[in-house]
């Protein structure tokens, strides 16, 4: 009796620790949401904690009327769709042939591909290659160079392996070629993995900025994250200056900053429920050793 | 003899007729790997040569000191030495603080007695992984701001002084580590939780009969079952001790903390892409890649020495 009572208390302690974790995870997001919806006066008076004070949508309206920002949102959305499509095509074209154990040269192709996971030439050789290929500062540099992830390819291949070979063999007897088998058997059966990897690729592109920072000088093609970085850091510069006592604190810029962060976060929060349905399976599939 | 030749040719023709389209499909990703992963490797020779904008890498003249001039220069460059130190320091501290965190959280979630609450905790804890470092940095800058941030407002109201979370080198390192854990701890539990589901429940039944408590179960059943997973992930992490992320330090850094936030990837960006010192930065990149591969092999060999499976 005493023992079961003690177990129950530790159960509640564990639950409490998990509750703290949830709070720590959500706190920054709630804070930024509250700040984006608050009036700039309330922010200056340091009144905003987790609930908006002087509720208004001014910051969002201002951001939405800024053509640079709306263009960047739209461009990043288009870029994300294109990149996801290209990446999934490449990943499928790579994973599917390698599932044929009778494919001659399969071991060689595997080694060739896996080697790139462990050794890469580095940033500067890539930069010089893009320059020589003429895609530096061209939108293609944001699409092609990282369109295929070996890790995701392995996840897809592992999923393909789980499809019974007898299905393929019976289709072969019926006279279907490899491409036909891919489109009418493998792809329809692989919806979960296709959904997972598409979302991974899409989130990766939506969140990515270092390739644009390094290889894209044309600001028109900068994705939303890079624009956000520039917005946040021009304001940080002011804040650092304020701290040193050079300038007075701008009230509005804080709500604006919060609203821009929210705009870049909302798409992720919208896809997250769908993402969540699949990613656990996807994340553990990759752990299986080839 | 002739018959077998004919047979072989016929079966070869048959094989090609059946599978040519597989090679056609594979040719696209293979071309990708050759162009974007292998051809850049030929540019590595720039590390040993004097870069010239009008020549191809093959024609450039060799650098002094048997071609190692730029490696020597890198190690005489104070910025690089700081970047090297910072990379090692941040990665090591990250490993020390960030590696055990998901194991502990996975054990906690495993012991959590309320299934529905467990699912909610998991959903919330996985989410930060999908936020970009720019967004996290934006949130952190507001949350940790010296006068107007939530944390410092709360500290001030409780009568404490403000803490310069992002504006002082020592505090910045702490914040950097914390945000890394914040973003990845939930996500990294997935692999441990998956390993936990494969534990035979009979083990726990047997231990219950023997009167084992919660801690004893963890000590003698749960942790030993996680051992292979822990070792594999430790190898991978050790292999990356000198690799440097770009997004995270770049997004979080500011001019006040450059002395600890400049890592090798940022050095390469500043000196190479912004400063156009291609030979020097290619040399730095090569140094980094080679050390990474050596570390990975060494960690793997070490794991095998201790009777673990290793990663290949």
């Amino acid at each position: 009796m005493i023992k079961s009572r003690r177990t129950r208390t530790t159960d509640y302690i564990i639950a409490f620790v998990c509750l703290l974790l949830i709070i720590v995870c959500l706190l920054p997001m709630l804070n930024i949401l509250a700040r984006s919806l608050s009036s700039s006066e309330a922010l200056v008076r340091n009144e905003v904690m987790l609930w908006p004070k002087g509720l208004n949508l001014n910051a969002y309206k201002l951001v939405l009327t800024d053509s640079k920002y709306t263009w960047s949102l739209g461009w990043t959305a288009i870029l994300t769709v294109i990149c996801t499509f290209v990446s999934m095509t490449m990943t499928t074209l790579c994973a599917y042939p390698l599932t044929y154990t009778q494919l001659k040269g399969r071991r060689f192709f595997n080694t060739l591909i896996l080697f790139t996971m462990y050794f890469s030439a580095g940033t500067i050789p890539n930069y010089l290659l893009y320059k020589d290929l003429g895609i530096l500062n061209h939108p293609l540099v944001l699409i092609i160079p990282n369109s295929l992830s070996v890790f995701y390819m392995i996840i897809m291949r592992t999923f393909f392996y789980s499809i019974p070979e007898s299905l393929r063999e019976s289709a072969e007897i019926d006279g279907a070629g490899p491409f036909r088998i891919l489109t009418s058997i493998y792809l329809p059966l692989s919806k979960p993995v296709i959904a997972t990897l598409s979302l991974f690729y899409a989130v990766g592109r939506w969140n990515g900025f270092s390739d644009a920072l390094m290889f894209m000088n044309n600001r028109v093609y900068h994705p939303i994250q890079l624009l956000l970085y520039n917005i946040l850091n021009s304001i940080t510069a002011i804040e650092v200056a304020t701290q040193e006592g050079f300038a007075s604190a701008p009230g509005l810029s804080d709500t604006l900053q919060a609203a821009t962060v929210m705009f870049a976060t909302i798409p992720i929060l919208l896809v997250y429920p769908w993402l969540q349905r699949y990613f656990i399976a996807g994340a553990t599939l990759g752990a299986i050793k080839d | 003899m002739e018959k077998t030749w004919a047979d072989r040719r016929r079966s070869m023709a048959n094989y090609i007729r059946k599978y040519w389209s597989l090679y056609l499909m594979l040719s696209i990703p293979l071309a990708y790997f050759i162009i974007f992963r292998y051809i850049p490797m030929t540019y590595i020779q720039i590390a040993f040569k004097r870069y010239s904008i009008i020549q191809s890498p093959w024609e450039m003249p060799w650098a002094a000191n048997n071609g190692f001039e730029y490696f020597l220069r890198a190690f005489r460059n104070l910025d690089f030495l700081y970047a090297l130190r910072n990379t090692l320091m941040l990665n090591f501290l990250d490993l020390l603080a960030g590696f055990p965190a998901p194991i502990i959280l996975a054990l906690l979630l495993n012991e959590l007695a309320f299934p529905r609450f467990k699912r909610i905790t998991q959903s919330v804890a996985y989410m930060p992984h999908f936020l970009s470092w720019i967004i996290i940095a934006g949130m952190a800058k507001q949350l940790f701001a010296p006068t107007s941030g939530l944390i410092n407002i709360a500290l001030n109201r409780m009568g404490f002084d403000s803490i310069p979370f992002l504006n002082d080198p020592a505090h910045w390192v702490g914040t950097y580590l914390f945000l890394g854990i914040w973003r990845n701890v939930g996500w990294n539990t997935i692999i441990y939780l998956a390993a936990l589901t494969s534990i035979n429940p009979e083990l726990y039944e047997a231990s219950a009969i023997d009167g084992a408590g919660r801690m004893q179960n963890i000590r003698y059943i749960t942790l030993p079952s996680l051992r292979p997973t822990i070792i594999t992930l430790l190898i991978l992490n050790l292999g990356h001790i000198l690799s440097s992320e770009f997004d995270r330090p770049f997004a979080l850094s500011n001019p006040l903390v450059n002395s600890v936030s400049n890592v090798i990837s940022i050095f390469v960006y500043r000196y190479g892409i912004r400063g156009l010192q291609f030979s020097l930065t290619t040399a730095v990149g090569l140094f980094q890649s080679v050390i990474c591969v050596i570390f990975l092999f060494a960690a793997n060999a070490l794991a095998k020495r201790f009777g673990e499976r290793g990663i290949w």
Side-chain angles (χ1 to χ4, degrees), chain B residues 196-208:
Chain B
L196 285 175
T197 56
S198 64
I199 298 177
N200 187 348
E202 281 175 26
L203 287 173
Y204 289 111
E205 284 159 26
S207 82

Side-chain angles (χ1 to χ4, degrees), chain A residues 35 104 112 132 145 272 276, chain B residues 15 32 38 43 123 132 142:
Chain A
R35 291 173 76 100
K104 287 188 169 61
L112 192 81
D132 286 356
Y272 183 68
Q276 215 207 346
Chain B
Y15 173 83
Y32 166 86
Y38 283 95
Y43 286 79
S123 294
S132 82
Q142 300 228 344

Side-chain angles (χ1 to χ4, degrees), chain B residues 260-273:
Chain B
V260 288
S261 68
N262 272 352
V263 293
I264 294 177
S265 55
I266 293 182
F267 174 86
V268 169
Y269 167 68
R270 295 235 165 96
Y271 271 71
I273 288 169

Side-chain angles (χ1 to χ4, degrees), chain A residues 136-178:
Chain A
L136 203 64
N137 301 325
H138 187 282
L140 279 177
V141 84
L142 303 178
I143 300 170
I144 297 175
N146 287 312
S147 57
L148 181 44
S149 149
V150 178
F151 186 66
Y152 294 164
M153 189 281 285
I154 292 174
I155 291 180
M156 186 173 240
R157 200 182 54 184
T158 312
F159 191 89
F160 282 166
Y161 279 140
S162 71
I163 294 170
E165 245 178 283
S166 54
L167 272 179
R168 190 168 83 201
E169 278 154 15
S170 62
E172 272 174 13
I173 290 164
D174 290 344

Side-chain angles (χ1 to χ4, degrees), chain A residues 7 10-12 14-15 17-19 21-22 24-29 31-32 35 46 49-50 90 93-94 96-97 100 102-104 109 112-113 115-116 118-121 123-133 135 144-148 150 172 178-179 200 203 207 209-210 213-214 225 228-229 232-233 236 239 243 254 257-258 261 264-265 268-269 272 275-276 279-280 283-284 287 289, chain B residues 15 18-19 21-23 25-26 28-30 32-33 35-41 43-44 46 51 53 105 108-109 111-114 117 120-128 130-132 134-135 138-139 141-143 145-151 153-154 157 167 178 182 187 190-191 194 212 214 246-247 250-251 253 256 268-269 272-274 278 281-282 286 289-290 293 296 309-312:
Chain A
T7 320
T10 38
D11 277 338
Y12 285 117
I14 291 169
V17 173
C18 289
L19 188 69
L21 181 89
I22 291 180
V24 171
C25 280
L26 291 180
L27 197 79
M29 285 176 246
N31 181 235
I32 203 106
R35 291 173 76 100
N46 288 341
M49 303 290 265
L50 297 172
M90 293 282 276
L93 288 181
C94 190
Y96 175 66
Y100 280 73
Q102 64 269 51
L103 186 80
K104 287 188 169 61
F109 297 140
L112 192 81
I113 292 165
F115 179 74
T116 62
Y118 299 108
F119 186 83
S120 70
T123 310
I124 301 301
N126 285 335
Y127 175 86
L128 294 172
L129 173 77
Y130 305 155
K131 207 166 95 175
D132 286 356
L133 289 176
I135 57 172
I144 297 175
N146 287 312
S147 57
L148 181 44
V150 178
E172 272 174 13
F179 192 75
F200 279 177
V203 170
N207 282 343
F209 67 94
S210 55
L213 179 75
M214 293 177 186
Q225 302 290 337
L228 190 58
Y229 176 81
L232 295 177
N233 277 58
T236 310
E239 197 183 281
Q243 209 195 334
D254 266 0
Q257 200 176 347
V261 171
T265 318
I268 299 286
L269 297 183
Y272 183 68
L275 199 63
Q276 215 207 346
F279 65 60
I280 298 174
T284 46
K289 209 157 98 162
Chain B
Y15 173 83
K18 227 168 135 185
Y19 294 126
S21 56
L22 288 177
Y23 289 98
M25 287 184 228
L26 202 55
I28 297 168
L30 282 181
Y32 166 86
F33 282 112
I35 295 171
F36 290 104
R37 295 291 180 268
Y38 283 95
I39 291 183
M41 290 181 196
Y43 286 79
I44 287 177
I46 289 168
Y51 182 78
I53 197 156
L105 181 58
L108 272 178
L109 286 172
E111 296 294 324
L112 193 57
F114 316 100
F117 184 60
I120 296 172
T121 312
Q122 281 174 287
S123 294
V124 174
Y126 297 156
M127 212 227 305
F130 294 96
L131 301 179
S132 82
I134 301 280
I135 290 174
M139 288 180 178
K141 270 167 194 160
Q142 300 228 344
L143 194 68
T147 50
S148 58
L150 173 70
I151 304 292
I153 295 176
R157 286 192 188 168
N167 299 337
F178 170 77
W182 182 78
W187 181 254
I190 291 179
I191 199 154
R214 196 193 291 269
F246 181 83
D247 292 14
F250 183 79
S253 75
L256 296 175
V268 169
Y269 167 68
I273 288 169
R274 290 289 163 251
F278 294 136
T281 42
T282 306
L286 178 62
S289 293
V290 168
V293 171
L296 198 62
R309 268 172 68 204
I311 52 168
W312 62 74

